[in-house]
Amino acid sequence: MVRRVKPYLLHASFKPDVEFDFDTYPFSVPAVRELENIKFHPNVTFFVGENGSGKSTVMEALAVALGFGPEGGTKNVQFSTVDSVSPLHDALRIAKGVPQPKDGYFLRAESFFNVASYMDSTGYVQGYGGSLHERSHGEAFMAVLVHKLRGNGIYLLDEPESALSPNRQLAALRAIHQLVEDQSQFIIATHSPILLSYPHAKIIQFDSSGLSEVAYEDTEHYAITQDFLNNYPRRLQQLLADEDDA
């Protein structure tokens, strides 16, 4: 596996001259308060955690601080259908490596439809291999990974597995690896145990206590999936039993 001496993104910290209140959102989120503890892996860094733990909030802030639009796309795609961007990005200082990326993309699952519509309206769809709306949701996601991302880039993916079947998640894993070998760096927020299996990646757990680095086999995603698949008849019986019978 190729490792760069210096990645494009090293770490993020709070600007010393910016005042904010740790009792107000998003600074009240435990993971946000510990944001300075994240050191990004030169290849792949994963954010994992329950819904509401702050993964997407941090991902959005990193993306906007790096110059991407809040709804996703390349840095040339700057629009917002809803003014809901948190102020976190204004408080961040991004430490970058010496090499400058030649490519970049922010894929945000929840607003990807809006990006696809924007690209159709501008006519700039050639880089995706054609209109994204003329594909299924999963095919459109794969079009980004396979056609749009060119390598030598910094790529932020927020729950890319949301539109992908297990088989397509395996294909996405291979596409990510090929881009890593082509001098790319990824930051990925995911619930997918398939994507999380990427070798040598750094996995950052977001929870009520803040941030911590965990091994793949120690993630809830791995443990719960493995337990359910190995014991699914009993687990289904437990989950679907009437409360009086439990």
Side-chain angles (χ1 to χ4, degrees):
M1 178 175 295
V2 175
R3 288 179 179 270
R4 288 178 300 276
V5 176
K6 295 181 180 179
Y8 303 124
L9 185 60
L10 300 171
H11 61 84
S13 60
F14 292 115
K15 296 176 181 176
D17 57 341
V18 174
E19 295 184 1
F20 46 84
D21 185 357
F22 278 119
D23 292 325
T24 61
Y25 181 84
F27 304 100
S28 59
V29 177
V32 171
R33 291 200 298 265
E34 295 192 0
L35 184 60
E36 293 184 294
N37 292 334
I38 297 179
K39 303 296 186 292
F40 297 105
H41 191 280
N43 294 335
V44 180
T45 301
F46 287 111
F47 293 167
V48 299
E50 279 294 340
N51 298 326
S53 61
K55 303 184 306 299
S56 291
T57 299
V58 171
M59 184 70 76
E60 175 193 81
L62 289 172
V64 175
L66 287 170
F68 295 101
E71 301 212 25
T74 67
K75 291 182 180 180
N76 293 325
V77 179
Q78 298 289 335
F79 74 97
S80 180
T81 55
V82 179
D83 186 15
S84 60
V85 180
S86 83
L88 179 57
H89 68 278
D90 285 328
L92 292 185
R93 179 171 59 186
I94 306 296
K96 302 176 182 178
V98 173
Q100 295 296 310
K102 297 179 181 179
D103 193 32
Y105 201 92
F106 175 33
L107 191 155
R108 189 173 195 176
E110 68 179 38
S111 55
F112 185 70
F113 180 90
N114 300 335
V115 173
S117 298
Y118 177 85
M119 299 314 300
D120 271 5
S121 70
T122 61
Y124 292 110
V125 296
Q126 184 176 359
Y128 295 91
S131 171
L132 294 171
H133 280 314
E134 294 179 359
R135 297 174 168 87
S136 71
H137 200 187
E139 289 172 334
F141 272 41
M142 288 303 300
V144 172
L145 287 173
V146 175
H147 296 295
K148 186 61 177 175
L149 309 189
R150 297 171 296 176
N152 289 96
I154 176 73
Y155 303 122
L156 284 68
L157 312 181
D158 189 7
E159 299 186 1
E161 76 281 359
S162 63
L164 301 178
S165 69
N167 192 49
R168 285 298 178 94
Q169 289 181 45
L170 293 172
L173 197 63
R174 178 167 178 79
I176 289 168
H177 179 62
Q178 290 173 336
L179 286 161
V180 166
E181 290 193 319
D182 196 14
Q183 299 298 303
S184 297
Q185 182 183 16
F186 283 85
I187 303 171
I188 305 173
T190 185
H191 296 289
S192 168
I194 292 176
L195 295 184
L196 283 171
S197 69
Y198 188 80
H200 311 298
K202 176 178 284 190
I203 302 176
I204 305 296
Q205 173 76 39
F206 286 54
D207 57 32
S208 59
S209 63
L211 299 173
S212 59
E213 185 174 348
V214 295
Y216 173 58
E217 293 85 355
D218 294 331
T219 63
E220 284 190 351
H221 309 68
Y222 176 89
I224 292 174
T225 302
Q226 182 187 53
D227 176 74
F228 183 80
L229 293 177
N230 289 340
N231 305 283
Y232 76 90
R234 184 171 61 177
R235 293 293 176 255
L236 283 174
Q237 185 178 28
Q238 293 170 336
L239 287 168
L240 305 182
D242 292 335
E243 290 186 5
D244 293 338
D245 297 333

